[in-house]
Amino acid sequence: MLSTFDLAFLDDEERRRRIALGSGWNTRFEGVPPVRGFRWNKGDRSFPGWYYAATTGTHVGYESWLERDRLILLNFAPEVVGIASQPFWLHWHDGERKRRHAPDYFVRLADGSARVVDVRAEDQVDERTAEAFGATGRACSAVGWEFVHVGVPDPVFMANLRWLARYRHARCAGEAALAELLMDVFREPCELRAGAEAAGDVLRCCQGCFT
């Protein structure tokens, strides 16, 4: 299985490399540049852009609103410590022709393990896409990575998280002492305003809570 797939990616100096999966699986893909650019063309139905991830302190690319929403979710996940978009091309031969696929995200977890994420609404997964996801899943399994295909998140939950996402920026973090104080105040459940008033300045403390 390891010899079935190749990985093509850009190294730290943005030089193109292509190596067998068995030789390249331990590359720190959470730190590599995207293997393809994000294009903005007038009239396009897609919405590419760059999202500032507090988890990494860098901007991470996305190619649709759905991918941006997934980035917001990853940015809030406590087990996530690294995120890279379009980290590599996965190359293989399906028995008839050469194929390649660039997963949407490579995610490094706090325990050192890795997760490869593809983002696509269920009703947008055609046969060719399903085959690419299947091949990616097999490649990931061969090297101990987790592979997940994720679709559309709950709209109400996502709307709330988008609103809260602005407070993940470092400028909103406040002092470490404030975070410790808020943890003490809210150790027992209470209303947000009541807890903020108990901690001190309401606006300052509410901002700290959202962070």
Side-chain angles (χ1 to χ4, degrees):
M1 181 65 72
L2 294 178
S3 61
T4 304
F5 298 97
D6 281 356
L7 296 170
F9 59 95
L10 301 175
D11 63 18
D12 293 340
E13 298 180 5
E14 298 197 15
R15 295 173 300 190
R16 294 191 177 274
R17 299 186 59 194
R18 178 167 172 168
I19 54 180
L21 174 63
S23 301
W25 68 271
N26 58 348
T27 300
R28 304 294 294 182
F29 285 110
E30 67 270 31
V32 299
V35 291
R36 62 184 184 191
F38 299 95
R39 295 175 297 178
W40 293 263
N41 297 316
K42 186 177 180 179
D44 277 357
R45 297 180 63 184
S46 60
F47 297 92
W50 295 92
Y51 178 78
Y52 175 79
T55 297
T56 63
T58 61
H59 286 85
V60 183
Y62 61 86
E63 294 184 303
S64 67
W65 288 147
L66 193 58
E67 289 186 17
R68 182 209 56 187
D69 283 351
R70 186 55 47 179
L71 272 176
I72 293 173
L73 287 164
L74 291 171
N75 197 38
F76 270 93
E79 73 275 15
V80 172
V81 297
I83 314 167
S85 57
Q86 311 288 337
F88 54 76
W89 286 107
L90 180 70
H91 291 265
W92 75 97
H93 197 285
D94 66 5
E96 296 181 359
R97 59 192 181 282
K98 295 179 180 180
R99 297 284 301 275
R100 71 173 186 172
H101 173 62
D104 293 314
Y105 298 110
F106 182 93
V107 178
R108 183 68 65 183
L109 306 180
D111 63 2
S113 62
R115 178 184 301 157
V116 174
V117 181
D118 265 313
V119 184
R120 187 73 63 91
E122 293 289 350
D123 60 0
Q124 298 297 311
V125 179
D126 55 21
E127 182 178 356
R128 185 174 177 82
T129 302
E131 290 173 353
F133 288 175
T136 304
R138 293 191 298 275
C140 290
S141 179
V143 293
W145 295 343
E146 179 187 5
F147 171 73
V148 293
H149 161 223
V150 293
V152 181
D154 176 79
V156 176
F157 175 74
M158 200 63 236
N160 281 294
L161 211 59
R162 288 190 206 104
W163 184 82
L164 288 170
R166 71 195 73 183
Y167 294 101
R168 286 284 285 131
H169 198 285
R171 64 173 174 265
C172 299
E175 306 88 357
L178 175 61
E180 293 177 5
L181 175 60
L182 291 171
M183 289 292 288
D184 287 337
V185 169
F186 287 98
R187 198 169 303 279
E188 295 295 330
C190 66
E191 293 183 356
L192 176 62
R193 185 176 183 86
E197 288 177 343
D201 180 81
V202 173
L203 291 179
R204 176 170 167 266
C205 292
C206 279
Q207 178 173 289
C209 289
F210 297 148
T211 303

